[in-house]
Amino acid sequence: MNRYSRIAGTGSYLPEKILTNKDLEKTIDTTDEWIRTRTGIERRHIAAPEESSSSLAEHAARRALKAAGATPADVDFIVVGTTTPDLVFPNTGTLLQQRLDIHGCPAFSLETACSGFVYALSVADKYVRLGEAQCALVVGVECLSRFVDWTDRATAVLFGDGAGAVVLTPADEPGVIGTHLHSDGKYQDLLYFPYGVSKGFDTLRNNSMDGLKMHGNEVFKVAVRTLSRLVDETLAKNGVERGEIDWLIPHQANLRIIQSAAEKLGLPMEKVVVTVQDHGNTSAASIPLALDTAVRDGRIHRGQLLLLETFGGGFTWGSALVRY
Ligand code: ACO
């Protein structure tokens, strides 16, 4: 008998502090109207000083486990997608593992910017399918507010903090039908954070860094083009017709990118889960946040066909076709 993985439960978490567009009007030269019109974003959440990616992830993970009817003791595999790890090491997966009081199973993080969750889902799916994991915790989490340059109106209005998680368990039928991952480093200059450990560390040490770099217009164009190709590839590889998709759950970066992807797919916006207005671009956290929101508010039902699609820095991009 074939073995697949299925999403047994979802969870998410947004920090308490909310920063609205009106709040931003007070500190940078922008307007609520500009932000809403160009991005669809209305507010974002900001992690408290004592919070971190692993603590946000813990809230989302516990909620996903509860929804799956599982406990931390059941978890035997942890993968976290994040661009904003607590530390260089230990990795955020292992820090989350410790927070959940789980000991011994593999726990790691991967960094593919906004595509982190879909990449993590793809990896965990393989382990469950191969019989090497029975209860995999898959998390997307970010504390982007930590490295946003809050004086740069071109980027400060876009990003926020949050976490989302799913629990994958084995199933006789898919579940995760297929995942499709891509990346192309030739686009690195369009969107990047210029400081790390082996490069730019002196700037960090001297406390003189500015924020992430983005050519917004170019990112927009490549994202729209690439996501359209990705949708075609996903449908063709899995023998699925456009009309069979019940819900599109896109990366929540910008409402206009989402609308364009829906249009290419021929899907009315009523079949697209949009949460970007409530939390801005939370990078790797955005898809599991949107998924959990729509599961909990009753829009997504068991048995429905979901298309998850993402695009982010690198560039990296990917999709997952999932029977929920
Ligand atoms: N408030 C007011 N005015 C602003 C702001 C702001 N926050 N930011 C820029 N402007 C001004 C610019 O200075 C410019 O003024 P000018 O015409 O006098 O020169 C004008 O608005 C237009 O600027 P553009 O950059 O051309 O605006 P655009 O319509 O491209 O919108 C945006 C910018 C929202 C960033 C858009 O390009 C975008 O969404 N790109 C995708 C980027 C993205 O989503 N990145 C996230 C990471 S990647 C991912 O997750 C997919």
Side-chain angles (χ1 to χ4, degrees):
M1 193 187 296
N2 288 332
R3 181 178 157 116
Y4 302 94
S5 76
R6 70 183 275 271
I7 295 178
T10 66
S12 62
Y13 175 75
L14 289 166
E16 215 172 287
K17 183 180 170 191
I18 293 174
L19 187 67
T20 63
N21 294 348
K22 288 274 179 207
D23 294 330
L24 283 171
E25 280 182 357
K26 294 177 198 147
T27 54
I28 48 177
D29 181 16
T30 192
T31 61
D32 174 48
E33 209 264 327
W34 191 97
I35 304 171
R36 279 174 196 258
T37 316
R38 305 280 175 135
T39 72
I41 298 167
E42 296 170 17
R43 65 191 75 86
R44 66 287 294 141
H45 292 246
I46 307 294
E50 68 279 10
E51 290 186 306
S52 64
S53 287
S54 70
S55 75
L56 269 50
E58 180 186 357
H59 289 295
R62 288 193 186 278
R63 288 173 183 174
L65 285 166
K66 190 167 179 212
T71 70
D74 298 315
V75 174
D76 58 3
F77 187 87
I78 299 174
V79 55
V80 175
T82 186
T83 327
T84 49
D86 289 26
L87 305 169
V88 173
F89 67 89
N91 75 76
T92 307
T94 304
L95 296 175
L96 172 63
Q97 183 189 38
Q98 172 63 15
R99 283 178 173 276
L100 294 171
D101 200 17
I102 302 167
H103 304 277
C105 76
F108 59 100
S109 32
L110 49 83
E111 41 163 334
T112 52
C114 305
S115 306
F117 176 77
V118 171
Y119 267 68
L121 185 74
S122 180
V123 172
D125 171 54
K126 309 293 183 292
Y127 274 80
V128 173
R129 276 180 196 239
L130 287 169
E132 293 190 20
Q134 307 297 323
C135 182
L137 189 53
V138 185
V139 182
V141 60
E142 302 287 4
C143 273
L144 294 167
S145 64
R146 301 288 199 256
F147 69 33
V148 164
D149 177 354
W150 290 104
T151 65
D152 175 18
R153 70 176 185 174
T155 53
V157 301
L158 301 176
F159 299 101
D161 301 336
V166 303
V167 173
L168 284 190
T169 55
D172 296 337
E173 291 179 359
V176 177
I177 297 167
T179 58
H180 308 279
L181 306 182
H182 298 278
S183 59
D184 191 339
K186 82 177 176 200
Y187 295 108
Q188 59 181 280
D189 291 341
L190 295 187
L191 179 61
Y192 64 103
F193 183 70
Y195 314 109
V197 177
S198 59
K199 199 174 170 190
F201 194 68
D202 281 350
T203 312
L204 294 181
R205 201 198 297 273
N206 298 335
N207 211 11
S208 55
M209 71 168 210
D210 50 8
L212 62 89
K213 309 287 175 205
M214 184 180 75
H215 296 275
N217 260 313
E218 289 306 306
V219 174
F220 191 98
K221 281 185 229 153
V222 183
V224 167
R225 247 187 357 248
T226 308
L227 287 171
S228 165
R229 276 203 317 270
L230 178 66
V231 165
D232 289 343
E233 174 198 344
T234 309
L235 297 178
K237 282 197 172 152
N238 295 287
V240 167
E241 298 292 330
R242 282 158 200 267
E244 292 176 59
I245 304 291
D246 290 303
W247 291 102
L248 175 66
I249 306 168
H251 169 45
Q252 309 285 317
N254 177 309
L255 183 59
R256 290 187 296 146
I257 298 180
I258 295 173
Q259 283 166 334
S260 150
E263 202 176 300
K264 292 262 159 50
L265 196 55
L267 267 190
M269 285 304 284
E270 297 76 55
K271 288 190 158 201
V272 183
V273 179
V274 180
T275 54
V276 68
Q277 68 282 358
D278 295 327
H279 51 64
N281 184 346
T282 58
S283 183
S286 91
I287 287 183
L289 264 166
L291 173 64
D292 184 51
T293 301
V295 165
R296 284 177 194 263
D297 69 20
R299 272 180 285 174
I300 294 179
H301 301 285
R302 284 285 173 200
Q304 288 188 321
L305 192 59
L306 317 181
L307 176 58
L308 283 48
E309 51 146 50
T310 187
F311 181 88
F315 289 141
T316 59
W317 62 100
S319 65
L321 193 66
V322 175
R323 181 72 65 188
Y324 178 67

